[in-house]
Amino acid sequence: MGAQEERNGARRRFDVADAAPLLLDAHGTVTSWTRGAERLLAYAASDVVGTDVAGLLTADDAARVPELADRLRADGGWAGLLTARRRDGRPVPVMVRVTPAEDPGGAAHWLVMLSDLNGGPGWDMSRTVLEQMVTGSPVGLAIVDTRLRFVWSNAALEQFGGGPAGQRLGRRLGEIQPGLDVEDIEARMREVLATGEPLVGYEHIGRLRSAPHRETAHMLSFTRLEDERGHPMGVYYTVVDITERHRARQRLALLDRAGQRIGRTLDIVRTTQELADVAVPDFADLVTVDLLEWVLRGGEPGAPGGSARLRRAGHRSRVPGTAEAFVEVGSEAAYAEGSPPPRTLVSGRSWRAERLDAAEVEWASREPGGVEVTFGSLGLHSAMVVPVRARGVTLGVTTFFRRGRQDPFDADDLSLAEDLVSRAAVCVDNARRYTRERDAALVLQRSLLPRRLPAQDAVEVTACYRPADELTGLGGDWYDLIPLSGARVALVVGEVPGHGIDASAAMGRLRTAVRTLAALDLPPDEVLAHLDDLVARTAEEEGLRPSPVADSAGDSMRAVGSGCVYVVYDPVEGRCSMAAARHPAPAVVRPDGTVGFVELPQGPALGAGGPPFESVELSLATGSTLVLYTDGLLADGDGNDGAADRERLRRALERTTASLDVRCRAVVDALVPDRPHDDVALLLARTRRLGADQVADWELPADPAVVADARKAATRQLTEWGLQELTFTTELVVSELVTNAIRHAGDPIRLRLIRDRTLICEVTDGGATVPHLRHPRTTDEGGRGLLLVSQVTQRWGTRVAPEGKVIWAEQSLTDLP
């Protein structure tokens, strides 16, 4: 049997022609038995005629026969389901319809129609029952013909607009719902008419004529109706209002988008703008976010100097004309006293107006020019003000507006807005707290970095520092230039692992230690060795285990694992020496513009322990540029190896620029983004040489008689340099230093005068004993030499030399006429 025959058979199953009739007398005795009944229950007529009908039923239904008989007499008939018992004992569910009948003699009988329900669709309902079902159904039901004109609908469909059922007849859906987009709905109906395949669960969103200001959602199902020959007669469809379910899905989707899009950065303004962007246009037509000034500065509530003024931090609109009505981001958001935003700011409670009236126009924020723009002129009809609160503190207010055909804000919308703003508020507060810490760390680090590099003539120097971005925080990179004796300078670049205030504090401690050690005038490898011991010892004393990869809140532990390169340049000889502690080797830009890299042995990280540090020395031509940098300069995030990193730096350094400052900035701009993932420090030092006319030296024998000759030679040199005003003090310094060298050290003795920014007097001897300043008693005959030197010079000191030591003293030239 084909599908069409099965459908036709199902429709005819409860017809009289398909039922098995039998006849009962008034007492329920079988008086007539037909072949249909015999086929259904397998009893022959001789087996059942004259017996009680209860014998044909199962025990449970046989017990109901007296009750059913009473209902037959009272109602004049009965229809229902019973279970008959075949001759072989197998139960057979049957639908039974009993109607009264009379024979020609006038005796009362009952006509019974039996229909087999095995495999059948159910009870054969009468028209009355069907009408009760469709009339009382809460689901909208309708039938349209093949031209999609209404031929029938139930009362429940009226709740969706379009008038009563009688007014629908002969009209199409677009005629009774003129504002509704019906093209898609009718396209679905035609598809069902053409294919015969039902369409279940189709969702449509639109505005009905009965509710033009409210967006509604409906779920429709379509089924084709056919005649007995299977030809389409029309479409039967159902309508269910799922607006609340649709709005719930929208709310969940909005909150999901908010979780994904709000708080992706630690920037306060960007976070508030993300809140406005998420809410428009799906939830509101216009959103403004205003924060207190101290929040935007990363301050604390109640801090001195805090302001209660609101400033616009973010806004988003699809309302024409808002450019004139609302202030720009960063400007003050002024509201009338007592208007909803200030009240919400003070109370911390939300405010909602389903319909804005004329009395509430005054609270809208305006441009400084005072242009008054009413809600009505913008088409705004509903508003909410929600406080931005986090950790019990109000940070600002968020205002939501709707216009045009948007539904007014209801209580559910207010709850959703509060949830949305509360999520954003936590992100705003996190950004505020981060801004406070980052600004504090930045101030600390910049205060620890040199504001201005010291003036000197050994090198032309410039530096550039770029802090890390907001996701990783501030780091501990630093640079320095330290003037040394003999017109020399020390160039230092270093890096502390980690980020934040702890890294900045550790950097400050290291920089101070380096400057202290530099004053001892030690070779670079010895400076790093002392610095390594200091870092390890300090960490151990504070109970921290030295480890280059450990992470601790203490700044001493931050110093463990630090890197540093220390370079000493001598402008007299044009030579430099350097050593590194797990730090990139410097580059050298030669006077002809070519770039090379120093082959510098890498020592261990500071405080980590390991092999001793090694120094290298090299000669530099005048005009060469030393390039010292931290590893952040080459951290491009592409996973390049060291050779590729150096090649990138080489190309950037080979580009000619007008000045050293411009070259320094150009190199950083070429190699790192505006907000790098790691701090970047770059120091460029172009070497100079002191001229031969600025240096004079003499080899002296270890003979006391030579002291007078040394004084005379120094006096002649001063006269040649035009420094006669310093003759007396210089003779005194030369006399004392040469005398001490002859008396306490011995050969080789060398006297050198250097005219730089100061007048430098140096005496080199072969002794290893370092002199120290004494304070002799009045009865002592000697011991006043170095004391006199310290009194008449700007500064003095000693340093280790390959052949012994050097004692030096400097006199200022700035006070000379």
Side-chain angles (χ1 to χ4, degrees), residues 565 567 578 580 583-588 596-600 626-629:
V565 61
V567 180
M578 63 185 70
H583 197 87
V588 177
F597 291 88
V598 180
E599 295 298 328
L600 180 62
L626 279 167
V627 182
L628 283 68
Y629 54 92

Side-chain angles (χ1 to χ4, degrees), residues 151 178 198 230 538 576 624 657 671 771:
V151 296
T538 303
C576 73
S624 299
T657 55
L671 297 181

Side-chain angles (χ1 to χ4, degrees), residues 78-116:
W78 178 83
L81 301 178
L82 294 174
T83 303
R85 182 169 47 82
R86 285 174 58 89
R87 182 170 183 168
D88 57 7
R90 180 168 57 87
V92 179
V94 292
M95 188 194 74
V96 181
R97 179 177 297 169
V98 185
T99 57
E102 292 184 359
D103 61 13
H109 287 81
W110 298 98
L111 175 63
V112 181
M113 307 294 293
L114 302 179
S115 296
D116 188 357

Side-chain angles (χ1 to χ4, degrees), residues 440-747:
L442 188 59
V443 169
L444 173 62
Q445 187 173 43
R446 287 179 175 169
S447 67
L448 295 174
L449 290 172
R451 292 177 179 269
R452 183 176 58 248
L453 294 173
Q456 40 72 46
D457 292 331
V459 292
E460 177 190 356
V461 66
T462 187
C464 183
Y465 169 74
R466 183 168 292 179
D469 67 2
E470 74 274 9
L471 294 179
T472 55
L474 202 65
D477 293 13
W478 92 94
Y479 58 88
D480 208 348
L481 182 146
I482 308 169
L484 302 177
S485 64
R488 298 169 306 131
V489 291
L491 305 171
V492 191
V493 168
E495 180 175 12
V496 173
H499 298 89
I501 292 180
D502 290 331
S504 297
M507 178 270 288
R509 295 177 66 167
L510 273 183
R511 179 170 176 259
T512 301
V514 170
R515 295 184 70 89
T516 301
L517 292 170
L520 301 177
D521 256 338
L522 299 172
D525 57 333
E526 294 189 29
V527 170
L528 294 186
H530 284 291
L531 189 61
D532 178 66
D533 291 340
L534 177 64
V535 170
R537 185 170 62 252
T538 303
E540 184 178 359
E541 289 173 354
E542 296 184 5
L544 300 171
R545 180 173 56 87
S547 171
V549 296
D551 187 13
S552 172
D555 56 357
S556 295
M557 197 62 212
R558 293 285 186 181
V560 175
S562 299
C564 178
V565 61
Y566 187 88
V567 180
V568 175
Y569 174 68
D570 186 345
V572 176
E573 299 181 359
R575 296 186 61 82
C576 73
S577 60
M578 63 185 70
R582 203 198 66 177
H583 197 87
V588 177
V589 182
R590 304 179 185 92
D592 61 1
T594 59
V595 179
F597 291 88
V598 180
E599 295 298 328
L600 180 62
Q602 285 294 313
L606 296 176
F613 298 96
E614 297 182 42
S615 291
V616 297
E617 290 192 7
L618 64 153
S619 296
L620 296 176
T622 302
S624 299
T625 301
L626 279 167
V627 182
L628 283 68
Y629 54 92
T630 56
D631 55 10
L633 184 69
L634 303 181
D636 63 347
D638 293 337
N640 291 332
D641 56 19
D645 290 340
R646 287 189 172 189
E647 184 59 31
R648 292 173 53 240
L649 177 58
R650 183 195 307 277
R651 291 196 299 269
L653 291 171
E654 286 176 346
R655 298 169 188 167
T656 58
T657 55
S659 67
L660 201 63
D661 288 337
V662 174
R663 168 174 281 188
C664 189
R665 291 193 298 271
V667 170
V668 173
D669 290 340
L671 297 181
V672 299
D674 291 338
R675 292 183 174 181
H677 295 289
D678 192 10
D679 280 20
V680 175
L682 175 64
L683 181 70
L684 300 184
R686 182 177 293 154
T687 61
R688 297 167 175 159
R689 291 286 294 270
L690 297 184
D693 59 342
Q694 293 179 271
V695 181
D697 58 356
W698 300 269
E699 295 288 341
L700 303 175
D703 183 354
V706 83
V707 175
D709 295 336
R711 287 198 300 267
K712 293 176 183 178
T715 300
R716 287 193 300 270
Q717 187 63 51
L718 292 181
T719 301
E720 184 178 335
W721 285 342
L723 301 176
Q724 293 89 339
E725 293 84 354
L726 300 179
T727 299
F728 175 75
T729 55
T730 303
E731 286 183 344
L732 176 60
V733 170
V734 170
S735 179
E736 291 296 333
L737 296 185
V738 173
T739 300
N740 284 341
I742 294 172
R743 180 177 301 174
H744 300 291
D747 292 334

Side-chain angles (χ1 to χ4, degrees), residues 23-25 28-33 44-53:
L23 199 63
L24 306 178
D25 63 13
T29 302
V30 179
T31 59
S32 176
W33 189 256
S46 59
D47 295 329
V48 296
V49 172
T51 64
D52 192 338
V53 70

